[in-house]
Amino acid sequence: MTNDMTTLAARVIAAAYEERLTIATAESCTGGLIAGALTDVPGSSAVFDRGYITYSNEAKTEMLGVPTSLIIQHGAVSSQVARAMAEGALASCATDIAVSVTGIAGPGGGSAEKPVGLVYIGVQRRGAISAAKRFDFAETHGADSRTKVREATVIEALNCLLDLAS
């Protein structure tokens, strides 16, 4: 984990603690790296409740309640599915805020419509409308760098959590 991630994760934990908020993560392309960054911070157990790793479409549906029809209509890598993942994480537990990620880390698996490095990050705070942001990390990190795409995704997801917690 980079120093940027460690520092940012510590800021997220501190902000959530100060606001008395609890956190859940729902991850696909990062495979638990966001939860790992958060739980690397001493004292994270006061605010981090759980993380879902939903790498397959079936896991997204079974664990988070993402409708299969949504995945069929928009694809697993879409703003609609990212939002549904964050909503599903909050619906399945008693946390206050959730972040979700779904994307194509590469180096393979991309298409002209959905290139390698395309990531959607979903966020939701309990009682608020969910949102999703689109990122194209291949433009800044290269389409052949799976590690860099995943690290950039973790940093952006932590930034999103920090915004929700502040």
Side-chain angles (χ1 to χ4, degrees):
M1 184 171 357
T2 67
N3 286 338
D4 289 345
M5 274 191 248
T6 302
T7 300
L8 192 51
R11 289 179 59 206
V12 170
I13 295 298
Y17 185 80
E18 187 170 311
E19 294 296 319
R20 296 185 174 156
L21 299 171
T22 53
I23 301 169
T25 62
E27 303 179 61
S28 185
C29 63
T30 51
L33 293 175
I34 300 164
L38 292 168
T39 59
D40 272 350
V41 177
S44 60
S45 61
V47 299
F48 184 79
D49 182 67
R50 67 188 72 192
Y52 299 93
I53 300 173
T54 56
Y55 215 69
S56 70
N57 292 343
E58 292 78 16
K60 289 172 184 62
T61 299
E62 292 170 13
M63 296 174 71
L64 300 173
V66 175
T68 302
S69 60
L70 197 67
I71 296 170
I72 292 169
Q73 183 177 4
H74 300 284
V77 179
S78 64
S79 62
Q80 294 86 350
V81 169
R83 287 180 63 187
M85 289 171 66
E87 291 166 1
L90 283 189
S92 65
C93 63
T95 60
D96 301 300
I97 57 178
V99 65
S100 65
V101 297
T102 183
I104 305 166
S111 67
E113 184 180 293
K114 294 185 180 183
V116 170
L118 176 64
V119 175
Y120 289 92
I121 299 177
V123 293
Q124 185 167 20
R125 187 165 173 159
R126 190 165 299 284
I129 296 173
S130 61
K133 296 179 183 179
R134 176 189 168 116
F135 297 90
D136 187 351
F137 294 120
E139 291 178 358
T140 53
H141 299 290
D144 60 345
S145 180
R146 180 178 183 82
T147 300
K148 288 182 181 176
V149 167
R150 287 166 41 111
E151 287 176 354
T153 301
V154 172
I155 289 169
E156 288 301 333
L158 291 172
N159 278 317
C160 290
L161 279 173
L162 189 57
D163 287 345
L164 281 179
S166 300

